[in-house]
Amino acid sequence: MAKGWQQLHGRMARVDQCVYWQRLVRAEGDLTRPLLLLHGAGLSGAVCWGGLLPHLSRYRDVLIPDLRGAGRTVHPGGRDVPFSMADVIDDISELLDQQQIADMDIAGYSFGGLAAMLLKARLGERIHHMTLLEPALLERMDRALTIRVRDEYSAAARIIREGESPVEGVGHFLDLISPHRTRDSRVEEVAVRRLARRHEGFAHALDCVTAAISTTCRETLLSCQHDVISVVGGNSPQSMKDYHHHLAETRTGWSFHELPDTDHSLPFQKPRFLAGLIERRISADNP
């Protein structure tokens, strides 16, 4: 953790979930509006954003919840149960109210990127600058093909949940989400171990995203997004990069950055650069 941060944490009790959160505050920095960080499926907030946090120099206030199925957020009964994106957005919205956060900037990764877009659709102008790191739903221009490909993610989720070991299903997921990743054995082992740690919650998160992609009108959701920068790894599928180029060319207030020598694991591969990208695009007079 970078110097100067005071770390607060707690759990917010809801009827069907105890939502764990961390909030980092400090006196230094010229950006007083909080930054909300939403992690990817199968990762806790601390794991996903831990490498990035020491490189944030301008924000004074950062809120990091653990989303359903991950980290220290748990069902009151102690088991992992299926959930929807509406449940996730309800959790975040209630947490923001509990923390008395009226408006914010936001960065979301993968599953958390989809959550960020849905939260923007709900909260509107309360959300200002958005940074989306390979967000789910925006993986390719052809929406029908996107929905068909999600059947493979559902198959991976079934293997993770029902197979003899979750490792096979996690491997299948990695092949889908990051087919051109570096196959270094140590890196692969860390990634698999990380995602298999709470494998049932991870599988439910994959199913949650699949259901959301199948039922969400993408054009309507995109029409709600403003002041966005999306980031895609240089080694990620060309179809994803092409679609994000298209979004930047056709939508006002949308810019795109391709991050060389990275794949879907970009928060772990280039955290310093991503922190700088998030902060560099924001004016010093951020209220």
Side-chain angles (χ1 to χ4, degrees):
M1 186 63 60
K3 291 183 179 180
W5 289 108
Q6 177 187 4
Q7 184 173 1
L8 310 173
H9 62 92
R11 281 191 172 88
M12 179 187 70
R14 303 196 72 219
V15 172
D16 64 341
Q17 205 76 186
C18 294
V19 179
Y20 179 80
W21 55 270
Q22 300 177 69
R23 192 165 181 178
L24 308 176
V25 295
R26 61 183 172 186
E28 297 179 356
D30 56 1
L31 304 181
T32 58
R33 186 164 58 226
L35 173 65
L36 173 65
L37 296 175
L38 301 179
H39 62 75
L43 304 170
S44 69
V47 168
C48 183
W49 303 112
L52 180 143
L53 289 171
H55 304 299
L56 292 176
S57 61
R58 299 179 62 193
Y59 279 102
R60 298 184 189 180
D61 190 349
V62 182
L63 178 64
I64 312 170
D66 283 349
L67 305 180
R68 292 196 180 209
R72 299 183 185 181
T73 288
V74 295
H75 185 276
R79 64 191 188 282
D80 281 312
V81 298
F83 56 88
S84 69
M85 286 302 306
D87 295 326
V88 174
I89 302 308
D90 286 345
D91 292 343
I92 302 169
S93 297
E94 186 169 325
L95 178 62
L96 291 171
D97 290 342
Q98 186 211 60
Q99 295 291 306
Q100 299 182 320
I101 295 177
D103 60 351
M104 72 221 75
D105 299 328
I106 188 168
Y109 167 53
S110 194
F111 168 55
L114 174 56
M117 289 189 289
L118 291 167
L119 192 67
K120 173 66 175 179
R122 177 178 293 191
L123 300 183
E125 293 183 0
R126 287 180 62 186
I127 295 176
H128 297 260
H129 305 289
M130 297 182 64
T131 305
L132 304 176
L133 311 181
E134 297 207 356
L137 185 68
L138 305 184
E139 295 161 349
R140 53 184 54 80
M141 191 176 302
D142 188 331
R143 182 176 181 274
L145 178 57
T146 298
I147 292 173
R148 290 199 298 273
V149 170
R150 291 307 306 190
D151 290 340
E152 289 297 318
Y153 286 87
S154 296
R158 283 195 299 273
I159 298 170
I160 292 168
R161 191 165 39 239
E162 302 169 7
E164 292 185 6
S165 167
V167 170
E168 180 184 355
V170 170
H172 187 33
F173 164 79
L174 290 173
D175 288 342
L176 290 167
I177 200 72
S178 190
H180 308 305
R181 67 190 184 279
T182 301
R183 302 294 180 126
D184 181 276
S185 59
R186 289 172 296 177
V187 173
E188 193 84 352
E189 181 183 354
V190 169
V192 170
R193 186 170 63 248
R194 182 188 295 137
L195 295 173
R197 181 174 296 127
R198 190 170 163 186
H199 64 278
E200 289 188 0
F202 176 42
H204 291 318
L206 294 181
D207 286 339
C208 168
V209 172
T210 295
I213 288 175
S214 299
T215 57
T216 299
C217 177
R218 187 164 69 177
E219 286 306 310
T220 299
L221 184 60
L222 285 170
S223 70
C224 301
Q225 312 304 313
H226 306 286
D227 198 359
V228 176
I229 182 170
S230 59
V231 185
V232 175
N235 297 332
S236 292
Q238 189 63 43
S239 59
M240 187 186 302
K241 292 185 283 187
D242 289 344
Y243 184 38
H244 284 259
H245 274 297
H246 171 76
L247 290 170
E249 291 172 354
T250 58
R251 295 191 173 272
T252 302
W254 190 296
S255 59
F256 166 62
H257 189 94
E258 182 178 328
L259 190 52
D261 302 320
T262 62
D263 50 43
H264 191 67
S265 295
L266 65 172
F268 303 100
Q269 296 164 332
K270 294 290 180 72
R272 181 191 297 271
F273 182 89
L274 290 172
L277 186 67
I278 291 169
E279 293 192 326
R280 189 164 60 243
R281 57 191 292 267
I282 300 169
S283 62
D285 61 352
N286 188 22

